[in-house]
Amino acid sequence: MKDFIKNVFANIVAILLIGIVLFGFIVLFFVASAMSSDQKPYVDSNSVLTLNFNGNVIDSYTEKEESIFDFGKSKDVLLLDVINAINNAKKDEKIKGISIEVDNLPAGITQVDDIRAAIEDFKKSGKFVYAYGNNMSQKSYYLASVADKVYLNPVGMIELKGMSTEVTFLKDFAAKYGIGVDVIRHGKFKAAVEPFIRNDISPENKEQLSTLLNDIWGNISTKIKASRKLDDATFKTAVDSLYGFMPELVVKNKLADQLLQKSEYENLIKKQLKLKSDEKINRISVNKYIKSLDEEKSSDNKIAVLYAAGEIFNGDEYQNIHSEKYVEYIKDLAEDDDIKAVVLRVNSPGGSGNASDEILFELQQLKLKKPLVVSFGDYAASGGYYISMAADKIYSSPNTLTGSIGVFGMIMNFKDLANRNGIRSDIVSTNANSQVYSPLSGAAPGTIPILTRSVESTYKRFVYFVTQNRKKSFEQIDAIGGGRVWSGTRAKQLGLVDELGSLQQAINYAATKAKLKDYSLDSYPRKSSPLEEFFKQTEEDEIAARVISKKVGKENYELFQKITNPKLNNGVQMALPYKITIK
């Protein structure tokens, strides 16, 4: 018996020792990763800044998706860092030009707009900007077209095709498999629920989608035509006829300047740099160049950029926009005397009405103490637009999807599906609507009427805050509300935003509003440390979510979550009905 106890005790000690050793190795691993990532790259003279974007261009660290062992290796890059790098390269004597080499650009369309504008400004230095592609996506070509010269592989292509969107309808699918859907919405344009109640796009939704796509495509195509010096007819024919898919037609129609192999393109750059054919080009990637730059000196006068990226939920999680977390951030910014102004960068299609209202209230309190300027990214719709109503001034990109001033609620049940498979339920209650909702029996008789009142009440509250911020009447906002989504260009014409401009322009205005000449920038939420990320990602639910997401695909998993997770699908929602992806 004594030997048994000794063996058990020895095994416990061994397990503890192994755990301590493993923990030590993990700590050392992250410390080493952090140290290696802090090493400052050296920039050689006669260098070329290469824009190849092997990782995602993101607004905020909350958008990062890393493996627990990726620290120091992530190639994701912040938009402001990219803009700062290009601006710095303009005056950096070691940087002689920029080479754009990206076939599939992992960035939002408004981010591409900002990068493109920075390159336009860079060209004023007289330094060269070249672009090379193999099989370029439309978004990549939009960026590449800003170059002095665009070169394409002899068997390459440019996916220049215009814009379209496809809506998937699930009404018959739901009926076939016994899934019941109760829908409450305000606004004939609030199309988030259409896939569950129709089999085609409604005339109202078709109208808003057509206007939206034409606005965005008009902005993009105008800039491409100006950069490539193309007339309207030639460009329209090239797009309609898919000439970008045929290399010889690409050059003939002036979409690119020449067909070259990559080594021939390298020789052109060498010629610009006055190098011999056997000499090597000093290339530096945008990620490395960012790391080479001196950190901005901290100042007692700071402008905080608070990034609101993702969908809006209740709770206190780090990723997306969770109300408890953001209330904390906003209160901290309001109480920090070094923070003289705040720029809220919104890139959100909306979400929970309750969470949006919490965040808006705290932003209104913050604005009483210091200037609050809002900058729109790809999306600032529904809840994303709602939380912006505390702003002193709103800047939007021309291609932002914004507005969607509308509210909806949706309740799904699986009663018929359950009954068909021999599953039934019965209810015992103390009051008429005690069982407000059940997945097996649906909504109680009083649930839909009261939710309808709730949706109407929330819509009126939404419009009220818009009228206060935009200085318009209820009737004026209701006429352009109803859930309708607008481009940033159209939103400016309608008075839903103040200016068309970039994040940097919003920061500049915030500095002016706060009467600051010298200041430093602080970003919120702050980046998590490697150890924080490690322990956050080792939680059981997080691991399970990642495994399932990889198996079924991110978009399918998000749809599954919205349908099955009560946290995500209950309550009144302020959410954009769709996402438009420009590839």
Side-chain angles (χ1 to χ4, degrees), residues 43-272:
V43 182
D44 292 310
S45 59
N46 212 26
S47 288
V48 175
L49 178 61
T50 304
L51 305 186
N52 48 15
F53 300 111
N54 293 320
N56 296 313
V57 179
I58 58 177
D59 272 4
S60 165
Y61 291 116
T62 60
E63 299 173 70
K64 272 195 172 184
E65 292 185 10
E66 296 180 310
S67 162
I68 58 177
F69 294 111
D70 272 351
F71 297 105
K73 300 177 184 177
S74 174
K75 294 179 180 177
D76 289 353
V77 61
L78 295 178
L79 173 64
L80 264 186
D81 286 344
V82 176
I83 303 302
N84 184 48
I86 295 170
N87 291 341
N88 195 84
K90 178 183 176 183
K91 56 193 177 191
D92 188 341
E93 293 182 359
K94 292 182 177 180
I95 301 294
K96 302 302 180 183
I98 289 177
S99 177
I100 305 170
E101 302 173 22
V102 55
D103 283 337
N104 293 291
L105 183 54
I109 189 62
T110 60
Q111 294 172 327
V112 181
D113 280 331
D114 285 359
I115 296 169
R116 206 177 185 280
I119 296 173
E120 283 276 22
D121 184 64
F122 173 90
K123 289 167 67 175
K124 295 175 184 176
S125 66
K127 300 177 182 182
F128 72 87
V129 178
Y130 287 170
Y132 183 85
N134 290 292
N135 295 294
M136 300 172 71
S137 70
Q138 186 160 259
K139 191 159 50 176
S140 297
Y141 179 69
Y142 176 45
L143 179 63
S145 65
V146 77
D148 304 317
K149 299 285 184 181
V150 178
Y151 300 97
L152 185 69
N153 186 281
V155 288
M157 61 172 279
I158 298 170
E159 194 183 10
L160 190 60
K161 57 187 180 180
M163 291 181 62
S164 68
T165 188
E166 185 175 12
V167 182
T168 303
F169 293 90
L170 305 171
K171 178 185 174 185
D172 289 348
F173 174 86
K176 179 179 179 179
Y177 290 100
I179 302 171
V181 183
D182 291 305
V183 169
I184 313 101
R185 64 172 171 172
H186 183 102
K188 61 183 180 180
F189 292 100
K190 201 66 185 178
V193 296
E194 275 195 4
F196 298 96
I197 60 176
R198 296 180 61 95
N199 286 318
D200 59 356
I201 302 174
S202 68
E204 295 84 4
N205 194 21
K206 187 168 288 188
E207 177 192 338
Q208 78 165 337
L209 284 172
S210 177
T211 302
L212 188 64
L213 290 173
N214 278 291
D215 281 352
I216 295 173
W217 180 244
N219 291 325
I220 293 170
S221 60
T222 297
K223 291 178 182 177
I224 294 174
K225 285 183 289 187
S227 294
R228 297 299 306 161
K229 297 180 174 58
L230 296 169
D231 62 75
D232 292 343
T234 300
F235 184 74
K236 188 176 187 308
T237 300
V239 176
D240 288 347
S241 305
L242 301 177
Y243 286 167
F245 288 66
M246 298 294 294
E248 61 273 18
L249 294 178
V250 166
V251 175
K252 184 178 179 181
N253 289 274
K254 300 180 181 179
L255 300 176
D257 295 281
Q258 198 174 348
L259 302 178
L260 293 176
Q261 294 290 347
K262 187 64 179 289
S263 59
E264 294 175 303
Y265 174 71
E266 299 278 319
N267 289 335
L268 279 178
I269 293 177
K270 287 180 181 180
K271 190 174 180 181
Q272 276 286 341

Side-chain angles (χ1 to χ4, degrees), residues 2 16-17 35 47 87-88 131 146 156 169 236 292 336 341 354 357 374 381 416 437 441 453 469 473 558 573:
K2 287 182 179 179
L16 287 172
L17 286 171
M35 288 175 67
S47 288
N87 291 341
N88 195 84
V146 77
F169 293 90
K236 188 176 187 308
S292 77
D336 189 337
N354 172 263
D357 199 74
V374 170
D416 288 347
Y437 161 76
S441 56
R453 288 177 60 185
N469 185 269
S473 69
E558 287 176 352
Q573 296 289 304

Side-chain angles (χ1 to χ4, degrees), residues 180 182 184 311-315 350-356 407-414 435-439 442-443 447-448 451 454-455 458 558-575:
D182 291 305
I184 313 101
E311 295 186 58
I312 302 173
F313 303 116
N314 295 99
S352 164
N354 172 263
S356 300
V407 187
F408 75 93
M410 186 167 66
I411 300 175
M412 305 186 74
N413 72 76
F414 306 92
Q435 184 86 356
V436 174
Y437 161 76
S438 163
T447 299
I448 301 304
L451 273 181
S454 177
V455 164
T458 304
E558 287 176 352
L559 177 61
F560 170 77
Q561 281 283 80
K562 286 179 184 178
I563 293 173
T564 61
N565 189 338
K567 173 188 169 186
L568 305 183
N569 66 10
N570 280 356
V572 176
Q573 296 289 304
M574 300 175 178

Side-chain angles (χ1 to χ4, degrees), residues 304-308 326 329-330 333 342-345 363 522 524-525:
V305 181
L306 175 60
Y307 292 94
Y326 273 77
Y329 298 147
I330 296 164
L333 294 174
V342 176
V343 175
L344 177 68
R345 171 69 168 187
L363 288 168
D522 261 10
Y524 295 81

Side-chain angles (χ1 to χ4, degrees), residues 22 103 162 175 287 418 447 467-468 473 485 487 542 544 566:
L22 284 174
D103 283 337
N287 294 63
T447 299
T467 62
Q468 296 301 297
S473 69
V485 183
S487 69
E542 181 72 17

Side-chain angles (χ1 to χ4, degrees), residues 276-291:
K276 296 178 182 177
S277 59
D278 59 344
E279 289 184 286
K280 189 177 179 181
I281 298 171
N282 294 326
R283 288 178 171 274
I284 184 162
S285 70
V286 68
N287 294 63
K288 284 188 176 180
Y289 188 63
I290 289 167
K291 290 179 182 178

